Amino acid sequence: MSKLEIHQIPVLSDNYVYLFRDANSGLVGVVDPAVAGPVLDKLQELNWTLTHIINTHHHPDHTGANLELKEKTGCTIVGAKNDASRIPGIDIKVEEGDIFDFGSQSAKVFEVPGHTVGHIAYWFEESDALFCGDTLFALGCGRLFEGTPGQMWHSISKFRDLPDQTKVYCAHEYTEANGRFAVSVNPGNDALKKRFAEIVAMRKKKLPTVPSTLGEEKETNPFMRADDPGLAAELALSGADPVEVFAETRRRKDSF
């Protein structure tokens, strides 16, 4: 089985939109389209016809082009069942444990509240692709606008069970700033320091740092490692519950 062909489209100041195609069926999807123009341009360049929008959450920089793209292409919009009222144009409503079939590919749906209460993520196992919106970033995680630290830690922990080779197609180019913070709270992590140096070099060349892999995130992202005794010790929280460690890490990031 061929894997999804995935194209990354930078939009706005730091968003990434993902256009993907299942070669076997010809179905074409777009993840979290903030604006329509760059998506339509890329579709024309590739001679693809959009069939689906998949949304991770309701924020306008993820759903802003839903209705325009639906009007121009007749595509089907997929989003969270428990947040359907905030997903413009939603047609298919999915929830925890659902399998979204996309031609010869399928995605497992995870409910991952924290950034918003209705946030979801899509894992295309055969393509090693995780579309996680603003729940998990390269070396970071989303702000807790609507959820709690406990919810977000539980959400991110779901990703730790997925294979290390899974690519993390997050929605923003925040990695350098995230890395600077990560090193400040976890200076004893040699793998993190090495990765951060590579990220700085990439950004100097204006190269994207996304996607990363879950293996990299498990090793270096402090928000995936709230149960690591070394991180807890560096936060002066030895023996604390992982939720407390996570909450303190997020609190420090918010004011970094």
Side-chain angles (χ1 to χ4, degrees):
M1 180 188 295
S2 61
K3 295 188 175 185
L4 293 174
E5 181 180 346
I6 301 172
H7 292 265
Q8 185 180 64
I9 307 173
V11 302
L12 305 178
S13 60
D14 52 35
N15 279 64
Y16 287 128
V17 172
Y18 298 101
L19 197 62
F20 61 96
R21 180 176 182 269
D22 171 42
N24 293 330
S25 65
L27 294 180
V28 175
V30 64
V31 184
D32 287 348
V35 288
V39 175
L40 294 168
D41 289 345
K42 193 68 176 180
L43 287 166
Q44 184 174 23
E45 175 192 328
L46 296 169
N47 196 28
W48 289 0
T49 299
L50 187 67
T51 59
H52 292 79
I53 292 171
I54 67 172
N55 289 135
T56 62
H57 64 294
H58 73 86
H59 284 159
D61 63 327
H62 295 255
T63 63
N66 275 21
L67 297 182
E68 182 177 349
L69 289 173
K70 187 174 185 177
E71 180 183 357
K72 290 184 176 178
T73 68
C75 65
T76 298
I77 298 177
V78 185
K81 180 179 180 179
N82 68 358
D83 209 12
S85 65
R86 298 195 291 180
I87 304 296
I90 189 169
D91 298 297
I92 298 176
K93 302 168 186 177
V94 295
E95 59 187 342
E96 177 76 22
D98 281 353
I99 301 298
F100 168 59
D101 290 317
F102 188 77
S104 65
Q105 301 280 321
S106 62
K108 184 176 181 180
V109 176
F110 296 94
E111 292 182 358
V112 285
H115 181 64
T116 68
V117 294
H119 204 301
I120 58 175
Y122 305 80
W123 175 44
F124 286 87
E125 181 177 4
E126 295 295 328
S127 293
D128 295 321
L130 176 67
F131 296 109
C132 55
D134 287 358
T135 296
L136 182 67
F137 294 131
L139 288 179
C141 76
R143 286 181 177 268
L144 306 185
F145 288 124
E146 298 177 5
T148 67
Q151 284 178 313
M152 192 64 142
W153 170 242
H154 179 65
S155 294
I156 287 175
S157 294
K158 293 180 181 182
F159 299 152
R160 302 201 308 175
D161 295 331
L162 303 183
D164 286 355
Q165 73 268 18
T166 304
K167 292 183 178 179
V168 180
Y169 291 95
C170 67
H172 292 276
E173 182 60 68
Y174 290 162
T175 317
E176 186 172 1
N178 286 343
R180 191 171 296 111
F181 167 75
V183 170
S184 78
V185 293
N186 195 195
N189 188 329
D190 291 337
L192 168 59
K193 289 187 287 188
K194 180 177 183 291
R195 183 182 175 195
F196 180 56
E198 294 169 351
I199 286 164
V200 170
M202 291 172 72
R203 293 308 293 159
K204 283 183 178 177
K205 298 177 182 178
K206 301 190 184 305
L207 297 173
T209 63
V210 177
S212 60
T213 67
L214 276 178
E216 291 175 310
E217 299 308 321
K218 293 173 190 179
E219 187 176 30
T220 60
N221 186 333
F223 295 102
M224 291 202 86
R225 301 175 54 253
D227 57 353
D228 179 80
L231 175 62
E234 289 181 319
L235 294 170
L237 289 172
S238 293
D241 184 89
V243 173
E244 185 180 350
V245 175
F246 181 91
E248 175 63 15
T249 307
R250 186 65 252 180
R251 184 191 68 78
R252 293 191 186 194
K253 178 65 169 70
D254 289 342
S255 59
F256 185 71

